[in-house]
Amino acid sequence: MASIADLKVTPGEYGLLTMLDVNPGISQVNLAAVYKLDKSTLSLAVGRLVKRGLVHRTRSREDERYYALRLLPAGRLLLQRVRERAEAQERTMDAVLHRGERRHLLSMLQRISRALDR
């Protein structure tokens, strides 16, 4: 968080921006299902990104009951900046880990994540 504090983006917003980058036009309903969030919670998060000029929300052409979401240029730029900092942070972590420790660390974190998802 400290490495991206000046960019004013939360980990959750970073995740949303990433999903929108690889799924342009995804509906809010589908995005809520991916994140296992209720639609109102996701709607608030998306609304904040829209107000910041990072995301564009329009009625879906296929089904007007749904909103399609797309990254705006400012959203792509912010996503790129966050990714650059995340990659730099990963390089720093790799520099202090011994051979094989990264794989072991990721394995442990995955086991913890699975246990918490139950």
Side-chain angles (χ1 to χ4, degrees), residues 17-56:
L17 293 172
T18 300
M19 286 295 294
L20 294 178
D21 187 42
V22 296
N23 297 288
I26 190 172
S27 74
Q28 282 188 214
V29 171
N30 289 340
L31 197 56
V34 167
Y35 278 100
K36 298 178 184 167
L37 294 172
D38 63 88
K39 289 179 271 186
S40 62
T41 299
L42 181 70
S43 184
L44 291 172
V46 169
R48 287 191 299 271
L49 296 174
V50 168
K51 283 182 185 176
R52 291 177 59 190
L54 304 173
V55 171
H56 183 64

Side-chain angles (χ1 to χ4, degrees), residues 1-100:
M1 284 301 298
S3 67
I4 61 169
D6 64 308
L7 298 177
K8 297 180 177 30
V9 63
T10 66
E13 290 169 337
Y14 171 66
L16 287 174
L17 293 172
T18 300
M19 286 295 294
L20 294 178
D21 187 42
V22 296
N23 297 288
I26 190 172
S27 74
Q28 282 188 214
V29 171
N30 289 340
L31 197 56
V34 167
Y35 278 100
K36 298 178 184 167
L37 294 172
D38 63 88
K39 289 179 271 186
S40 62
T41 299
L42 181 70
S43 184
L44 291 172
V46 169
R48 287 191 299 271
L49 296 174
V50 168
K51 283 182 185 176
R52 291 177 59 190
L54 304 173
V55 171
H56 183 64
R57 176 173 44 194
T58 56
R59 290 281 179 192
S60 171
R61 290 180 189 167
E62 293 81 32
D63 189 337
E64 291 190 1
R65 294 175 296 169
Y66 301 109
Y67 284 104
L69 304 170
R70 294 191 191 305
L71 277 184
L72 291 171
R76 275 192 199 84
L77 180 61
L78 177 61
L79 182 58
Q80 178 184 343
R81 289 180 176 158
V82 174
R83 283 179 176 158
E84 288 169 356
R85 293 196 190 174
E87 289 167 4
Q89 190 170 9
E90 285 192 23
R91 286 190 299 274
T92 300
M93 290 187 297
D94 284 344
V96 299
L97 294 174
H98 297 293
R99 186 175 204 179

